[in-house]
């Protein structure tokens, strides 16, 4: 195990302080209103010191986004190691993503900002590459479940590659996050519990892929029991993902 020098420890501590204050500032005023001078004032460093660590504020945003992606990878890896059938583990990835966004909503918002074209182009290429490398952990965890399903006979190999199957679930989750965090859209269409709806849609897609064992995608009693079992066995150290126990039509469960 490498022992850091005093200078390296001080550098890391200073960088951690800058990132922590940056996250708070983005939460308060938004990224577009983030000023390096104000960030330096809050962190109690000279503005030049910030530029010694980060070339631009976009690089700071990418570092913050990388931290959220790394945490998601850890959540996904837990599910991938879960002692359950491959179908439950695949469905469990959606719950893990929901749990993360529920506990750390700013992670998704920051990641979404980082992927905006104008911000993406301004970040240092090395910083962008580092963020994408962090994302490989998420992809590898999901791909391992798809591969297990094929090898165990739960999923028949067809015209779709494991990457294509994984991509379908990823885009479904990403789209749900985007709509959920866009103020007013869910209220306008009177949609409740978007992540429960997402979980139902996961089951529909899994059935469409003929991923065994097939399940009744409309059986919400089984769905809620699945949430509870998954949480108890994989995420007992976290608060359960919030749900209102009301369906999207407003009828009390």
């Amino acid at each position: 195990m490498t022992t850091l020098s005093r200078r390296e420890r001080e550098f890391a501590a200073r960088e951690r302080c800058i990132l922590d204050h940056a996250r708070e500032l983005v939460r308060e005023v938004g990224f577009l209103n983030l000023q390096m001078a104000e960030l330096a004032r809050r962190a109690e460093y000279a503005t030049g010191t910030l530029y010694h660590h980060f070339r631009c504020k976009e690089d700071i945003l990418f570092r913050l986004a990388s931290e959220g992606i790394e945490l998601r990878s850890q959540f996904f890896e837990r599910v991938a190691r879960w002692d359950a059938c491959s179908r439950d583990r695949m469905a469990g990835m959606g719950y893990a993503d929901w749990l993360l966004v529920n506990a750390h909503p700013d992670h998704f918002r920051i990641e979404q900002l980082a992927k905006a074209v104008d911000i993406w182009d301004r970040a240092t290429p090395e910083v962008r590459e580092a963020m994408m490398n962090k994302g490989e952990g998420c992809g590898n965890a999901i791909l391992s479940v798809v591969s297990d399903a094929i090898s165990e006979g739960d999923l028949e190999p067809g015209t779709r590659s494991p990457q294509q199957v994984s991509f379908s679930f990823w885009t479904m989750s990403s789209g749900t996050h985007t709509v959920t965090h866009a103020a007013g859209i869910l209220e306008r269409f009177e949609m409740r519990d978007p992540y429960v709806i997402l979980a139902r849609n996961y089951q529909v897609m899994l059935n469409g892929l003929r991923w065994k064992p097939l399940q009744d995608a409309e059986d919400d009693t089984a769905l809620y029991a699945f949430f509870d079992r998954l949480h108890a066995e994989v995420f007992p150290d976290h608060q359960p993902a919030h749900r209102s126990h009301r369906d999207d039509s407003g009828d009390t469960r």
Side-chain angles (χ1 to χ4, degrees):
M1 183 175 180
T2 304
T3 302
L4 298 178
S5 67
R6 177 179 177 180
R7 171 178 281 186
E8 290 171 329
R9 292 196 303 272
E10 290 174 348
F11 186 92
R14 191 162 57 241
E15 195 163 271
R16 181 72 266 156
C17 176
I18 294 169
L19 289 170
D20 287 344
H21 282 285
R23 186 179 293 278
E24 289 294 329
L25 199 52
V26 169
R27 187 181 295 125
E28 290 177 20
V29 304
F31 176 73
L32 296 180
N33 294 319
L34 173 65
Q35 300 294 325
M36 294 292 269
E38 174 60 16
L39 176 56
R41 186 190 69 78
R42 292 202 183 192
E44 299 183 330
Y45 291 118
T47 303
T49 301
L50 268 62
Y51 285 106
H52 183 58
H53 287 262
F54 305 99
R55 193 202 68 174
C56 56
K57 70 177 188 178
E58 286 78 14
D59 282 3
I60 294 176
L61 186 74
F62 269 71
R63 280 290 304 277
L64 293 174
S66 294
E67 292 179 352
I69 292 171
E70 184 173 12
L71 185 56
R72 183 185 293 113
S73 293
Q74 293 170 7
F75 275 36
F76 282 11
E77 287 164 6
R78 284 195 189 193
V79 177
R81 295 192 300 267
W82 184 27
D83 184 16
C85 69
S86 64
R87 175 167 176 140
D88 281 354
R89 282 183 285 147
M90 192 66 191
M93 294 295 179
Y95 181 84
D97 206 23
W98 173 20
L99 186 67
L100 176 65
V101 173
N102 193 80
H104 305 283
D106 59 315
H107 281 321
F108 172 74
R109 297 188 187 110
I110 287 172
E111 184 180 342
Q112 189 177 39
L113 278 169
K115 292 176 180 176
V117 174
D118 290 343
I119 295 174
W120 183 274
D121 290 341
R122 291 193 186 105
T124 305
E126 293 79 9
V127 175
R128 290 200 304 262
E129 184 68 21
M131 188 184 81
M132 289 189 288
N133 288 340
K134 292 287 186 183
E136 287 185 4
C138 299
N140 290 337
I142 295 174
L143 283 172
S144 71
V145 176
V146 178
S147 297
D148 286 348
I150 293 173
S151 65
E152 294 166 7
D154 295 338
L155 179 65
E156 293 184 5
T159 57
R160 297 182 184 86
S161 68
Q163 289 81 359
Q164 290 173 330
V165 172
S166 301
F167 180 77
S168 300
F169 288 95
W170 172 37
T171 52
M172 190 187 298
S173 293
S174 181
T176 300
H177 292 325
T178 300
V179 173
T180 300
H181 286 84
I185 291 182
L186 293 179
E187 291 77 9
R188 177 178 291 271
F189 293 98
E190 298 183 351
M191 300 292 287
R192 299 182 178 88
D193 284 345
Y195 292 106
V196 174
I197 298 171
L198 174 63
R200 293 186 195 128
N201 290 339
Y202 259 53
Q203 296 297 341
V204 171
M205 183 175 287
L206 287 164
N207 283 345
L209 292 168
R210 308 300 296 172
W211 195 318
K212 302 172 185 175
L214 299 181
Q215 297 178 20
D216 181 359
E218 303 304 319
D219 186 350
D220 282 353
T221 299
L223 183 63
Y224 283 108
F226 170 73
F227 291 155
D228 293 340
R229 177 169 64 91
L230 168 62
H231 193 93
E233 296 179 9
V234 182
F235 299 106
D237 53 333
H238 290 271
Q239 290 295 318
H242 172 74
R243 56 184 188 265
S244 67
H245 292 281
R246 296 171 65 91
D247 68 14
D248 50 283
S249 67
D251 296 329
T252 303
R253 291 206 175 283

